[in-house]
């Protein structure tokens, strides 16, 4: 009998992210005066491209035969991020790791500090030549649990991270174009650097390096085999915060909502969360009061409050808990998670103070 495992994967959280026509508010961050402002780097220059395959524009009346038709439209597109995408007003950020599996790839996996096991989607399993029909395991996601097939692999590697032999659950494709998820089972003792300015991801062994000059430190502890949890305040309420780079949006449990307000306001927006098991749960999307952590004061964050399956699975239903998703974590210039130091080290976007 295959052992049960837990995939703590949160996906498709924010209703605003699911509707591109509505601008996603970017969290505004303040820091205590003791921290120096970071140095910002210039953005990469955009590239111009035409419209391939488009028919030539019709020449206007009176035009000289054989002359080039006038350009009717110019499309300017920025380069698609390869490793890290920043959170903007109309997009939730992501962190992708280029992972080699059994010498194939690299495959683009979502780096998920909230998942205790890696997984792949069916297309990735097929590319590895293993559809995963021989064995199965129980997977618990953000909104429910399900039995899914698994595949056996010999080796997974990215940077200084090396895993295997191991088995990988084959889960639904809910990762927004990524080919799976890289969990935290190999991250203990590692230092992750996600540089959103330079589109750079680095996973190396931690040597206990202190935070660079101009960075703010948020201390955390590891529970459940590697889940990072920090102590923060939301609107003055003491709260446990789960640092989850695999979640699109920030999600709060009912004790946190009840501590902040007796009843949700009448203008609360209905929101749905679909997890890796394709179960859907609902909640109330509300603007959050100021979030304080490690000397930072962050405003402009929206939280979905609900009685989510994962909070019940973690036994985190009696005290205020907030899951910090990429809507907040992707708004920094640089995000460092050092598992040896038990620190999240962040540099503010644009040197905001």
């Amino acid at each position: 009998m295959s052992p049960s495992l837990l995939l703590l994967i949160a996906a498709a959280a924010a209703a605003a992210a699911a509707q591109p026509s509505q601008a996603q508010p970017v969290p505004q961050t303040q820091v205590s005066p003791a921290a120096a402002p970071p140095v910002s780097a210039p953005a990469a220059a955009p590239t111009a491209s035409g419209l391939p395959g488009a028919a030539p524009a019709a020449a206007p009346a009176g035009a000289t035969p054989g002359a080039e038709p006038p350009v009717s439209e110019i499309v300017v597109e920025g380069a698609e991020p390869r490793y890290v995408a920043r959170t903007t007003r109309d997009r939730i950020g992501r962190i992708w790791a280029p992972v080699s599996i059994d010498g194939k790839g690299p495959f683009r996996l979502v780096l998920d500090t909230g998942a205790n096991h890696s997984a792949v989607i069916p297309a990735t399993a097929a590319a590895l030549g293993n559809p995963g029909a021989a064995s199965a395991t129980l997977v618990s996601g953000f909104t429910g649990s399900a039995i899914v097939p698994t595949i056996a692999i010999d080796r997974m590697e990215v940077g200084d991270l090396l895993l295997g032999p191991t088995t990988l659950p084959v889960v639904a494709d809910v990762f927004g174009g990524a080919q799976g998820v890289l969990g935290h089972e190999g991250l203990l003792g590692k230092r992750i650097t996600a540089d959103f300015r330079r589109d750079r991801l680095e996973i190396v062994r931690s040597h206990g390096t202190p935070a660079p000059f101009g960075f703010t430190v948020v201390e955390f502890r590891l529970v459940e085999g590697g889940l990072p949890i920090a102590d923060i305040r939301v609107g003055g309420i003491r709260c446990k915060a789960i640092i989850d780079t695999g979640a699109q949006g920030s999600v709060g449990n009912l004790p946190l909502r009840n501590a902040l307000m007796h009843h949700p306001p009448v203008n609360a927006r209905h929101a749905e969360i679909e997890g890796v098991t394709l179960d859907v749960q609902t909640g109330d999307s509300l603007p959050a009061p100021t979030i304080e952590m490690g000397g930072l004061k962050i405003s402009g964050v929206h939280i979905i409050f609900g009685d989510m399956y994962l909070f019940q699975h973690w036994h985190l239903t009696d005290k205020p808990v907030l899951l910090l998703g990429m809507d907040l974590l992707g708004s920094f210039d640089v995000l460092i998670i050092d598992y040896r130091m038990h620190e999240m080290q962040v540099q503010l976007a644009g040197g905001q103070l």
Side-chain angles (χ1 to χ4, degrees):
M1 181 177 179
S2 179
S4 171
L5 60 90
L6 181 64
L7 273 177
L8 310 181
I9 303 171
Q19 302 175 3
S21 60
Q22 298 181 358
Q24 172 69 25
V26 177
Q28 301 296 313
T29 310
Q30 297 179 330
V31 65
S32 58
V39 179
S40 58
T47 59
S49 65
L51 298 176
T64 304
E68 267 195 294
V71 177
S72 59
E73 183 178 5
I74 296 177
V75 178
V76 179
E77 298 177 345
E80 174 69 17
R82 297 179 60 194
Y83 305 112
V84 292
R86 182 192 297 276
T87 294
T88 61
R89 291 185 62 84
D90 57 358
R91 179 180 67 180
I92 298 296
R94 279 296 194 184
I95 301 176
W96 299 284
V99 181
S100 173
I101 304 177
D102 285 346
K104 297 180 180 180
F107 298 97
R108 199 185 207 195
L109 305 188
V110 174
L111 178 68
D112 190 349
T113 56
N116 74 344
H117 204 285
S118 301
V120 294
I121 64 174
T124 306
L128 293 169
N130 190 340
S135 60
T137 191
L138 175 66
V139 167
S140 293
F142 197 84
T143 57
S145 60
I147 300 293
V148 300
T150 65
I151 61 173
I153 64 160
D154 293 324
R155 185 182 183 95
M156 285 180 67
E157 55 185 320
V158 53
D160 286 345
L161 185 151
L162 177 62
L163 291 174
T166 187
T167 58
L168 298 178
V170 181
V171 296
D173 184 358
V174 295
F175 304 113
Q179 296 165 292
V181 58
L182 179 64
H184 63 59
E185 73 266 40
L187 296 179
L188 297 182
K190 303 295 190 299
R191 181 180 178 90
I192 302 166
T193 301
D195 190 330
F196 294 95
R197 296 172 306 174
R198 299 181 175 88
D199 189 11
R200 182 175 65 89
L201 175 67
E202 183 180 66
I203 301 176
V204 299
R205 292 182 180 86
S206 171
H207 299 289
T209 306
F213 178 77
F215 280 64
T216 300
V217 173
V218 178
E219 297 180 349
F220 63 78
R221 58 192 178 278
L222 297 175
V223 302
E224 299 286 343
L227 186 68
I229 293 185
D231 292 320
I232 68 171
R233 288 179 179 267
V234 180
I237 302 298
R238 293 181 180 271
C239 178
K240 296 182 185 297
I242 302 165
I243 301 169
D244 190 348
T245 59
Q248 287 190 351
S250 297
V251 184
N253 66 357
L254 293 183
L256 176 59
R257 192 198 72 180
N258 296 337
L260 294 172
M261 62 194 80
H262 293 295
H263 302 284
V266 293
N267 61 348
R269 289 190 304 166
H270 178 80
E272 291 186 344
I273 298 178
E274 181 182 21
V276 69
T277 59
L278 300 183
D279 295 290
V280 176
Q281 290 190 277
T282 61
D284 296 317
S285 178
L286 297 167
T290 300
I291 298 174
E292 301 176 63
M293 56 181 185
L296 297 176
K297 292 185 177 181
I298 304 171
S299 59
V301 177
H302 276 68
I303 298 176
I304 297 178
F305 292 97
D307 187 20
M308 303 304 168
Y309 172 86
L310 194 58
F311 293 136
Q312 299 174 27
H313 188 94
W314 271 325
H315 305 292
L316 295 176
T317 57
D318 58 340
K319 295 181 179 179
V321 176
L322 176 63
L323 182 143
L324 301 177
M326 286 300 296
D327 58 333
L328 187 153
L329 301 174
S331 66
F332 299 117
D333 265 356
V334 182
L335 170 67
I336 299 173
I337 300 177
D338 194 310
Y339 279 84
R340 178 181 174 183
M341 297 283 287
H342 290 189
E343 290 181 351
M344 181 173 70
Q345 305 168 3
V346 299
Q347 187 179 47
L348 301 184
Q352 297 180 48
L353 284 178

